[in-house]
Amino acid sequence: MSSFALVRYCLRTGIYFTTLSLWGILSTPVSCALALLGRRFEAGPLVTRSFSRFIGTILGLRVEFEGAEYLNTQPAVFMLNHQSALDIWLLGCFFPKRVSVMAKKSLGWSPIGAVLYLSGCILVERGNGGRAAASIRKAGATLREADVSLVVFPEGTRNAARDPSLLPFKKGGFHMAVQSGISIVPIVCENYSHMYRRGWFEPVQLRARVLPPVPTRGLGEEDVPTLALAVREQMLETVRSISHSAPGAFESSTDHHLSLSSGIPQSRL
């Protein structure tokens, strides 16, 4: 690795995380105002989409979605593979207008913590099955009543592997989808270790694919393990097929493509 690439990595990473921290702090008053107006589930999308637009322009981050028409399935449980903190930028590229996010509780102490609390995010305490289950049941009821979508990283933690792969899935998001009777929409981003990894940050246009909605109406809690396994297999097959090193990756009709040059879908501007 050249010293020039290392310097670029440090600069780009510093810009990303500094901007993210400042964005979270400066967006707190806006999130508070929306919460007081009874529009708390609009705060997260507003903050994240504006952050994605800005940081995408500054750092040249771009992603092309295939199957973008499935993003109109709302309310839904959107499930994404999780690779790094850059996924926050990725979220802002497709966020619906009313959404909650399931995240680890420790993020509540980060610079974006206030925005997470004020925007109705579901913060789950890892390592405490009883409290996590209670949070999921309560969140499922909230989603039904508020008619909002949910974003979940089913792997539960970052997968920094250099090969296209997925960690085992947590089942919390699947339980909420079944409890609420809403469809699951898997979203798979290619393995982007060729763009971002420790010591390397050289932006290229990423590939992502939105898979057809998976209905959950009529399913019960006993169906969750099978449902989680089926969705994981779909997502694993997809990440392997679209990733940078995969031969023939991302072959599809251009009718379903959505190009994002600055982090926000043009159709949503």
Side-chain angles (χ1 to χ4, degrees), residues 20-260:
L20 178 61
S21 298
L22 291 175
W23 214 271
I25 294 170
L26 296 176
S27 299
T28 299
V30 176
S31 301
C32 185
L34 288 173
L36 291 174
L37 291 172
R39 300 167 57 187
R40 64 184 309 189
F41 292 112
E42 298 177 30
L46 176 63
V47 172
T48 310
R49 285 160 63 91
S50 60
F51 168 75
S52 291
R53 180 196 295 266
F54 180 81
I55 203 67
T57 301
I58 296 299
L59 297 181
L61 301 175
R62 296 170 297 154
V63 60
E64 183 181 18
F65 283 94
E66 177 193 359
E69 68 275 15
Y70 298 129
L71 294 173
N72 295 321
T73 306
Q74 297 176 28
V77 175
F78 295 97
M79 294 193 172
L80 292 84
N81 55 318
H82 191 15
Q83 300 182 65
S84 77
L86 289 188
D87 292 335
I88 298 175
W89 158 73
L90 188 64
L91 288 179
C93 297
F94 74 88
F95 251 13
K97 292 182 178 180
R98 287 171 53 81
V99 68
S100 178
V101 177
M102 181 184 288
K104 57 185 180 181
K105 192 171 183 179
S106 59
L107 285 177
W109 299 101
S110 71
I112 63 173
V115 173
L116 293 179
Y117 281 113
L118 292 167
S119 62
C121 287
I122 301 164
L123 301 177
V124 178
E125 186 173 346
R126 287 180 180 174
N128 190 317
R131 291 185 182 178
S135 297
I136 289 170
R137 286 193 296 270
K138 183 178 179 180
T142 301
L143 292 177
R144 287 194 300 272
E145 295 169 4
D147 193 34
V148 299
S149 295
L150 175 69
V151 171
V152 178
F153 294 104
E155 293 169 283
T157 190
R158 300 172 189 175
N159 178 13
R162 296 283 294 274
D163 61 308
S165 62
L166 295 176
L167 299 174
F169 278 8
K170 308 292 184 181
K171 297 183 177 62
F174 296 94
H175 281 289
M176 274 192 278
V178 169
Q179 290 170 15
S180 304
I182 59 179
S183 296
I184 294 171
V185 179
I187 303 176
V188 182
C189 182
E190 67 170 307
N191 181 288
Y192 55 66
S193 59
H194 63 290
M195 182 191 84
Y196 175 75
R197 59 183 183 271
R198 184 179 295 275
W200 181 266
F201 192 171
E202 298 294 330
V204 296
Q205 180 163 295
L206 297 180
R207 308 173 178 111
R209 182 175 294 169
V210 188
L211 303 183
V214 179
T216 65
R217 191 174 298 276
L219 298 182
E221 296 298 310
E222 67 279 3
D223 299 308
V224 166
T226 302
L227 176 65
L229 182 60
V231 171
R232 184 181 183 278
E233 287 300 314
Q234 278 189 322
M235 293 179 67
L236 181 58
E237 179 181 354
T238 301
V239 75
R240 287 173 174 169
S241 69
I242 69 172
S243 289
H244 185 71
S245 59
F250 210 55
E251 295 177 355
S252 63
S253 169
T254 56
D255 292 341
H256 293 169
H257 286 187
L258 179 60
S259 181
L260 311 178

